mmCIF file with all atom_site columns, all heavy atoms in Angstrom:
data_model
loop_
_atom_site.group_PDB
_atom_site.id
_atom_site.type_symbol
_atom_site.label_atom_id
_atom_site.label_alt_id
_atom_site.label_comp_id
_atom_site.label_asym_id
_atom_site.label_entity_id
_atom_site.label_seq_id
_atom_site.pdbx_PDB_ins_code
_atom_site.Cartn_x
_atom_site.Cartn_y
_atom_site.Cartn_z
_atom_site.occupancy
_atom_site.B_iso_or_equiv
_atom_site.pdbx_formal_charge
_atom_site.auth_seq_id
_atom_site.auth_comp_id
_atom_site.auth_asym_id
_atom_site.auth_atom_id
_atom_site.pdbx_PDB_model_num
ATOM 1  N N   . GLU A 1 170 ? 4.498  -10.207 -7.916  1.00 0.00 ? 170 GLU A N   1
ATOM 2  C CA  . GLU A 1 170 ? 4.081  -11.354 -8.727  1.00 0.00 ? 170 GLU A CA  1
ATOM 3  C C   . GLU A 1 170 ? 5.228  -11.839 -9.618  1.00 0.00 ? 170 GLU A C   1
ATOM 4  O O   . GLU A 1 170 ? 5.391  -13.046 -9.846  1.00 0.00 ? 170 GLU A O   1
ATOM 5  C CB  . GLU A 1 170 ? 2.867  -10.976 -9.562  1.00 0.00 ? 170 GLU A CB  1
ATOM 6  C CG  . GLU A 1 170 ? 1.614  -10.738 -8.723  1.00 0.00 ? 170 GLU A CG  1
ATOM 7  C CD  . GLU A 1 170 ? 0.413  -10.305 -9.552  1.00 0.00 ? 170 GLU A CD  1
ATOM 8  O OE1 . GLU A 1 170 ? 0.572  -10.159 -10.794 1.00 0.00 ? 170 GLU A OE1 1
ATOM 9  O OE2 . GLU A 1 170 ? -0.676 -10.122 -8.966  1.00 0.00 ? 170 GLU A OE2 1
ATOM 10 N N   . TYR A 1 172 ? 8.423  -11.841 -8.881  1.00 0.00 ? 172 TYR A N   1
ATOM 11 C CA  . TYR A 1 172 ? 9.317  -12.667 -8.067  1.00 0.00 ? 172 TYR A CA  1
ATOM 12 C C   . TYR A 1 172 ? 8.619  -13.931 -7.560  1.00 0.00 ? 172 TYR A C   1
ATOM 13 O O   . TYR A 1 172 ? 9.267  -14.971 -7.372  1.00 0.00 ? 172 TYR A O   1
ATOM 14 C CB  . TYR A 1 172 ? 9.872  -11.854 -6.906  1.00 0.00 ? 172 TYR A CB  1
ATOM 15 C CG  . TYR A 1 172 ? 11.058 -11.002 -7.311  1.00 0.00 ? 172 TYR A CG  1
ATOM 16 C CD1 . TYR A 1 172 ? 10.898 -9.658  -7.658  1.00 0.00 ? 172 TYR A CD1 1
ATOM 17 C CD2 . TYR A 1 172 ? 12.340 -11.542 -7.364  1.00 0.00 ? 172 TYR A CD2 1
ATOM 18 C CE1 . TYR A 1 172 ? 11.987 -8.884  -8.036  1.00 0.00 ? 172 TYR A CE1 1
ATOM 19 C CE2 . TYR A 1 172 ? 13.425 -10.779 -7.750  1.00 0.00 ? 172 TYR A CE2 1
ATOM 20 C CZ  . TYR A 1 172 ? 13.248 -9.445  -8.082  1.00 0.00 ? 172 TYR A CZ  1
ATOM 21 O OH  . TYR A 1 172 ? 14.331 -8.680  -8.481  1.00 0.00 ? 172 TYR A OH  1
ATOM 22 N N   . ALA A 1 173 ? 7.314  -13.860 -7.307  1.00 0.00 ? 173 ALA A N   1
ATOM 23 C CA  . ALA A 1 173 ? 6.584  -15.061 -6.876  1.00 0.00 ? 173 ALA A CA  1
ATOM 24 C C   . ALA A 1 173 ? 6.653  -16.142 -7.957  1.00 0.00 ? 173 ALA A C   1
ATOM 25 O O   . ALA A 1 173 ? 6.836  -17.328 -7.657  1.00 0.00 ? 173 ALA A O   1
ATOM 26 C CB  . ALA A 1 173 ? 5.133  -14.710 -6.554  1.00 0.00 ? 173 ALA A CB  1
ATOM 27 N N   . GLU A 1 174 ? 6.525  -15.740 -9.211  1.00 0.00 ? 174 GLU A N   1
ATOM 28 C CA  . GLU A 1 174 ? 6.617  -16.696 -10.315 1.00 0.00 ? 174 GLU A CA  1
ATOM 29 C C   . GLU A 1 174 ? 8.011  -17.321 -10.380 1.00 0.00 ? 174 GLU A C   1
ATOM 30 O O   . GLU A 1 174 ? 8.162  -18.517 -10.655 1.00 0.00 ? 174 GLU A O   1
ATOM 31 C CB  . GLU A 1 174 ? 6.289  -16.003 -11.647 1.00 0.00 ? 174 GLU A CB  1
ATOM 32 C CG  . GLU A 1 174 ? 4.828  -15.598 -11.806 1.00 0.00 ? 174 GLU A CG  1
ATOM 33 C CD  . GLU A 1 174 ? 3.901  -16.788 -12.085 1.00 0.00 ? 174 GLU A CD  1
ATOM 34 O OE1 . GLU A 1 174 ? 4.384  -17.938 -12.079 1.00 0.00 ? 174 GLU A OE1 1
ATOM 35 O OE2 . GLU A 1 174 ? 2.698  -16.546 -12.311 1.00 0.00 ? 174 GLU A OE2 1
ATOM 36 N N   . ILE A 1 175 ? 9.038  -16.519 -10.123 1.00 0.00 ? 175 ILE A N   1
ATOM 37 C CA  . ILE A 1 175 ? 10.400 -17.045 -10.119 1.00 0.00 ? 175 ILE A CA  1
ATOM 38 C C   . ILE A 1 175 ? 10.576 -18.043 -8.974  1.00 0.00 ? 175 ILE A C   1
ATOM 39 O O   . ILE A 1 175 ? 11.205 -19.103 -9.143  1.00 0.00 ? 175 ILE A O   1
ATOM 40 C CB  . ILE A 1 175 ? 11.424 -15.891 -10.012 1.00 0.00 ? 175 ILE A CB  1
ATOM 41 C CG1 . ILE A 1 175 ? 11.421 -15.062 -11.296 1.00 0.00 ? 175 ILE A CG1 1
ATOM 42 C CG2 . ILE A 1 175 ? 12.825 -16.436 -9.732  1.00 0.00 ? 175 ILE A CG2 1
ATOM 43 C CD1 . ILE A 1 175 ? 12.316 -13.832 -11.249 1.00 0.00 ? 175 ILE A CD1 1
ATOM 44 N N   . CYS A 1 176 ? 10.034 -17.726 -7.806  1.00 0.00 ? 176 CYS A N   1
ATOM 45 C CA  . CYS A 1 176 ? 10.106 -18.658 -6.670  1.00 0.00 ? 176 CYS A CA  1
ATOM 46 C C   . CYS A 1 176 ? 9.466  -19.993 -7.021  1.00 0.00 ? 176 CYS A C   1
ATOM 47 O O   . CYS A 1 176 ? 10.014 -21.067 -6.720  1.00 0.00 ? 176 CYS A O   1
ATOM 48 C CB  . CYS A 1 176 ? 9.419  -18.058 -5.446  1.00 0.00 ? 176 CYS A CB  1
ATOM 49 S SG  . CYS A 1 176 ? 10.356 -16.744 -4.625  1.00 0.00 ? 176 CYS A SG  1
ATOM 50 N N   . ILE A 1 177 ? 8.311  -19.940 -7.654  1.00 0.00 ? 177 ILE A N   1
ATOM 51 C CA  . ILE A 1 177 ? 7.606  -21.160 -8.041  1.00 0.00 ? 177 ILE A CA  1
ATOM 52 C C   . ILE A 1 177 ? 8.436  -21.962 -9.046  1.00 0.00 ? 177 ILE A C   1
ATOM 53 O O   . ILE A 1 177 ? 8.550  -23.189 -8.952  1.00 0.00 ? 177 ILE A O   1
ATOM 54 C CB  . ILE A 1 177 ? 6.222  -20.801 -8.618  1.00 0.00 ? 177 ILE A CB  1
ATOM 55 C CG1 . ILE A 1 177 ? 5.313  -20.266 -7.504  1.00 0.00 ? 177 ILE A CG1 1
ATOM 56 C CG2 . ILE A 1 177 ? 5.586  -21.991 -9.324  1.00 0.00 ? 177 ILE A CG2 1
ATOM 57 C CD1 . ILE A 1 177 ? 4.074  -19.564 -7.992  1.00 0.00 ? 177 ILE A CD1 1
ATOM 58 N N   . GLU A 1 178 ? 9.031  -21.271 -9.986  1.00 0.00 ? 178 GLU A N   1
ATOM 59 C CA  . GLU A 1 178 ? 9.852  -21.917 -11.004 1.00 0.00 ? 178 GLU A CA  1
ATOM 60 C C   . GLU A 1 178 ? 11.067 -22.617 -10.393 1.00 0.00 ? 178 GLU A C   1
ATOM 61 O O   . GLU A 1 178 ? 11.424 -23.734 -10.809 1.00 0.00 ? 178 GLU A O   1
ATOM 62 C CB  . GLU A 1 178 ? 10.319 -20.879 -12.028 1.00 0.00 ? 178 GLU A CB  1
ATOM 63 C CG  . GLU A 1 178 ? 11.248 -21.413 -13.098 1.00 0.00 ? 178 GLU A CG  1
ATOM 64 C CD  . GLU A 1 178 ? 11.758 -20.319 -14.032 1.00 0.00 ? 178 GLU A CD  1
ATOM 65 O OE1 . GLU A 1 178 ? 11.057 -19.290 -14.196 1.00 0.00 ? 178 GLU A OE1 1
ATOM 66 O OE2 . GLU A 1 178 ? 12.858 -20.481 -14.595 1.00 0.00 ? 178 GLU A OE2 1
ATOM 67 N N   . TRP A 1 197 ? -2.919 -18.074 -5.927  1.00 0.00 ? 197 TRP A N   1
ATOM 68 C CA  . TRP A 1 197 ? -1.470 -18.055 -5.775  1.00 0.00 ? 197 TRP A CA  1
ATOM 69 C C   . TRP A 1 197 ? -1.003 -19.176 -4.855  1.00 0.00 ? 197 TRP A C   1
ATOM 70 O O   . TRP A 1 197 ? 0.022  -19.823 -5.112  1.00 0.00 ? 197 TRP A O   1
ATOM 71 C CB  . TRP A 1 197 ? -1.000 -16.703 -5.243  1.00 0.00 ? 197 TRP A CB  1
ATOM 72 C CG  . TRP A 1 197 ? -0.775 -15.693 -6.313  1.00 0.00 ? 197 TRP A CG  1
ATOM 73 C CD1 . TRP A 1 197 ? -1.565 -14.624 -6.639  1.00 0.00 ? 197 TRP A CD1 1
ATOM 74 C CD2 . TRP A 1 197 ? 0.317  -15.668 -7.246  1.00 0.00 ? 197 TRP A CD2 1
ATOM 75 N NE1 . TRP A 1 197 ? -1.037 -13.939 -7.698  1.00 0.00 ? 197 TRP A NE1 1
ATOM 76 C CE2 . TRP A 1 197 ? 0.126  -14.553 -8.093  1.00 0.00 ? 197 TRP A CE2 1
ATOM 77 C CE3 . TRP A 1 197 ? 1.435  -16.464 -7.444  1.00 0.00 ? 197 TRP A CE3 1
ATOM 78 C CZ2 . TRP A 1 197 ? 0.996  -14.212 -9.112  1.00 0.00 ? 197 TRP A CZ2 1
ATOM 79 C CZ3 . TRP A 1 197 ? 2.321  -16.146 -8.462  1.00 0.00 ? 197 TRP A CZ3 1
ATOM 80 C CH2 . TRP A 1 197 ? 2.107  -15.028 -9.287  1.00 0.00 ? 197 TRP A CH2 1
ATOM 81 N N   . LYS A 1 200 ? -0.600 -22.383 -6.600  1.00 0.00 ? 200 LYS A N   1
ATOM 82 C CA  . LYS A 1 200 ? 0.611  -22.463 -7.421  1.00 0.00 ? 200 LYS A CA  1
ATOM 83 C C   . LYS A 1 200 ? 1.805  -22.938 -6.596  1.00 0.00 ? 200 LYS A C   1
ATOM 84 O O   . LYS A 1 200 ? 2.629  -23.727 -7.066  1.00 0.00 ? 200 LYS A O   1
ATOM 85 C CB  . LYS A 1 200 ? 0.921  -21.100 -8.047  1.00 0.00 ? 200 LYS A CB  1
ATOM 86 C CG  . LYS A 1 200 ? -0.094 -20.640 -9.091  1.00 0.00 ? 200 LYS A CG  1
ATOM 87 C CD  . LYS A 1 200 ? 0.299  -19.282 -9.661  1.00 0.00 ? 200 LYS A CD  1
ATOM 88 C CE  . LYS A 1 200 ? -0.710 -18.812 -10.702 1.00 0.00 ? 200 LYS A CE  1
ATOM 89 N NZ  . LYS A 1 200 ? -0.339 -17.502 -11.299 1.00 0.00 ? 200 LYS A NZ  1
#
Side-chain angles (χ1 to χ4, degrees):
E170 292 178 358
Y172 278 96
E174 290 286 4
I175 291 175
C176 286
I177 291 165
E178 177 184 333
W197 274 105
K200 292 180 180 181

